[in-house]
Amino acid sequence: MKYRPFPSDGRETSLLGFGTMRLPQNSGRDNDIDQEKSIEMIRYAIDHGVNYVDTAYFYHAGASERVTGKALQDGYREKVLIADKLPPWALKTEDDCMRVFEDQLKKLGVDYIDNYLIHNIFQFNWKKVKSMDLVGFVQKLKQEGLIRNFGFSYHGEVEGLFEEIIDFAPWDFVQIQLNYIDTEFQAGLKGYEYAHSKGIPVVVMEPLKGGKLTQQLPESIEKYWDGLGHSWSRAEWALKWLANLPGILTILSGMNTLDQVKENIRILSEAEADSLTAEELNIIENAAAEYRKLIAYACTGCRYCMPCPQRVDIPKVLEFRNNWDLFAHNPSLKRDFRIFIQNPPSACVECGECEGKCPQSLEIRKAMRESAGIFESKSR
Ligand SMILES: NC(=O)c1ccc[n+]([C@@H]2O[C@H](COP(=O)([O-])OP(=O)(O)OC[C@H]3O[C@@H](n4cnc5c(N)ncnc54)[C@H](OP(=O)(O)O)[C@@H]3O)[C@@H](O)[C@H]2O)c1
């Protein structure tokens, strides 16, 4: 495993971090985590050099922290930096902040958290974050030794806010979505460069766009990967592109099989900063440009939009909607849609609750209308 030093205390941080938002499940229910498999994967990762584990209050409807805590028993806690997050949308009073934090310590079974983030700051909640003085709250936790470092995660636009937040407090780190597609989306490369210029290390989330970058894609994209005769997997191209950026501290991946854990450990045990050639970077840029042309809704499957009051599985419908364009209106998609989608998008009453929660600011209502038109029409 490659390591990069955490600037505030010099602690070596593994370039691969374990994101616990996509743990394997026993059933379709988000909180029904396959505990045995998850613990095996997290411990395997730690035994092979991973020392950063990221969770949050709402991942897997609250079950992620509990399972992460179990995985970190038996001496594993001391080997890792735990990252957890304070959810502004769940807080009304200062007492709520402490109640949530204490609940998190309890669920994780620890008496301090290494890296504590204000979760998902963006244009619509920044005012609340300031008026509730959440930054003051996390700073106080640090002074009291209950956390070691404080930061924030960000899904807003880069223009107009990101730099303001970065300059607002002496953050120890920042967490942004970054991958070779999303270079000009949310914080993107501009946000990365700004944080890096201020000496703030960047933790990356959604490095594989929630797994979208590892799927078999149309030939117009796939053709690029063979360009130099490398035998790199799709995950390898994506993770090496990120590792190439020196300001990145750790790359969180939400792995859900042991094979994925093994592969990502291998990739990030070899990848170096500033090591990709101009030809390699060129290939990635060309593939990204083609992908951006084909994708209608940049959903990462994070499921922040759920639950839908009409019980439509929004991320699944969006996946079908995107695949319709990506795979040239392949008729078998209509058959699969009927098999896999229980509550059809026509059940959407356009309440818009989902759009207020989507970190990618997607026009979900429009996508539901389009999907109903495509997949629920009688034609085959
Ligand atoms: N703070 C926030 O606001 C926020 C938001 C989002 C995420 N996060 C954190 O960031 C973490 C990382 O984001 P992410 O989970 O979206 O990561 P990601 O690496 O972009 O996506 C994970 C998915 O990629 C696929 N994958 C991973 N390794 C693979 C490999 N070697 N080969 C093939 N497929 C592979 C799997 O998808 P399949 O299911 O297709 O196998 C997996 O579920 C999260 O787990 C969470 O801890 C934080």
Side-chain angles (χ1 to χ4, degrees), residues 255-369:
M255 301 155 284
N256 55 36
T257 68
L258 191 57
D259 281 347
Q260 291 175 355
V261 176
K262 288 180 182 171
E263 182 178 18
N264 295 355
I265 288 173
R266 176 187 64 72
I267 297 166
L268 294 175
S269 298
E270 294 163 2
E272 300 276 6
D274 297 319
S275 66
L276 292 185
T277 64
E279 288 84 0
E280 287 161 350
L281 289 170
N282 202 26
I283 280 179
I284 296 172
E285 216 167 277
N286 286 334
E290 188 61 29
Y291 184 93
R292 284 191 208 102
K293 266 198 270 170
L294 291 174
I295 205 85
Y297 294 93
C299 172
T300 66
C302 71
R303 304 188 74 79
Y304 279 33
C305 54
M306 297 294 285
C308 161
Q310 302 306 313
R311 309 176 80 175
V312 176
D313 190 333
I314 297 167
K316 251 194 202 151
V317 173
L318 290 177
E319 188 166 358
F320 273 100
R321 173 66 193 86
N322 281 333
N323 285 345
W324 185 247
D325 289 347
L326 275 172
F327 300 106
H329 301 185
N330 185 337
S332 69
L333 281 167
K334 286 197 174 185
R335 186 202 56 214
D336 292 351
F337 185 89
R338 283 194 287 273
I339 297 169
F340 292 111
I341 300 293
Q342 279 174 352
N343 280 6
S346 58
C348 170
V349 294
E350 309 221 357
C351 69
E353 210 178 281
C354 49
E355 291 186 9
K357 294 189 280 186
C358 174
Q360 318 298 327
S361 310
L362 298 180
E363 290 182 85
I364 297 174
R365 288 174 287 186
K366 181 168 166 250
M368 293 303 118
R369 281 196 301 276

Side-chain angles (χ1 to χ4, degrees), residues 103-315:
D103 197 24
Q104 291 176 308
L105 290 180
K106 203 163 132 207
K107 280 162 75 186
L108 285 165
V110 300
D111 51 15
Y112 71 94
I113 289 170
D114 301 272
N115 284 7
Y116 200 55
L117 303 88
I118 301 176
H119 198 164
N120 195 10
I121 301 183
F122 65 124
Q123 272 76 4
F124 295 111
N125 65 8
W126 178 227
K127 223 167 134 187
K128 177 177 182 183
V129 169
K130 284 192 290 185
S131 69
M132 283 192 73
D133 192 20
L134 297 186
V135 179
F137 175 72
V138 294
Q139 282 179 302
K140 200 159 142 253
L141 291 179
K142 182 172 172 176
Q143 280 156 15
E144 290 169 0
L146 292 168
I147 64 170
R148 299 288 189 260
N149 301 298
F150 68 92
F152 66 98
S153 68
Y154 190 77
H155 283 292
E157 295 306 313
V158 71
E159 300 303 337
L161 184 61
F162 187 74
E163 295 184 5
E164 181 187 329
I165 303 174
I166 286 280
D167 294 339
F168 186 81
W171 305 102
D172 295 307
F173 65 106
V174 60
Q175 184 163 314
I176 61 171
Q177 173 169 329
L178 194 61
N179 54 61
Y180 67 76
I181 300 291
D182 294 325
T183 51
E184 291 177 32
F185 181 64
Q186 299 185 4
L189 277 178
K190 196 170 169 198
Y192 157 79
E193 293 291 356
Y194 192 72
H196 187 38
S197 74
K198 299 277 172 170
I200 300 174
V202 173
V203 173
V204 166
M205 55 188 163
E206 315 236 10
L208 304 173
K209 214 166 165 52
K212 301 285 182 285
L213 301 185
T214 58
Q215 291 168 356
Q216 170 88 32
L217 292 169
E219 189 45 34
S220 60
I221 301 174
E222 293 286 334
K223 67 176 185 205
Y224 288 108
W225 304 133
D226 299 330
L228 293 172
H230 291 351
S231 56
W232 295 357
S233 67
R234 299 182 193 97
E236 197 158 0
W237 281 100
L239 294 178
K240 282 186 168 165
W241 180 84
L242 285 163
N244 198 53
L245 300 170
I248 287 176
L249 180 73
T250 185
I251 302 168
L252 302 175
S253 185
M255 301 155 284
N256 55 36
T257 68
L258 191 57
D259 281 347
Q260 291 175 355
V261 176
K262 288 180 182 171
E263 182 178 18
N264 295 355
I265 288 173
R266 176 187 64 72
I267 297 166
L268 294 175
S269 298
E270 294 163 2
E272 300 276 6
D274 297 319
S275 66
L276 292 185
T277 64
E279 288 84 0
E280 287 161 350
L281 289 170
N282 202 26
I283 280 179
I284 296 172
E285 216 167 277
N286 286 334
E290 188 61 29
Y291 184 93
R292 284 191 208 102
K293 266 198 270 170
L294 291 174
I295 205 85
Y297 294 93
C299 172
T300 66
C302 71
R303 304 188 74 79
Y304 279 33
C305 54
M306 297 294 285
C308 161
Q310 302 306 313
R311 309 176 80 175
V312 176
D313 190 333
I314 297 167

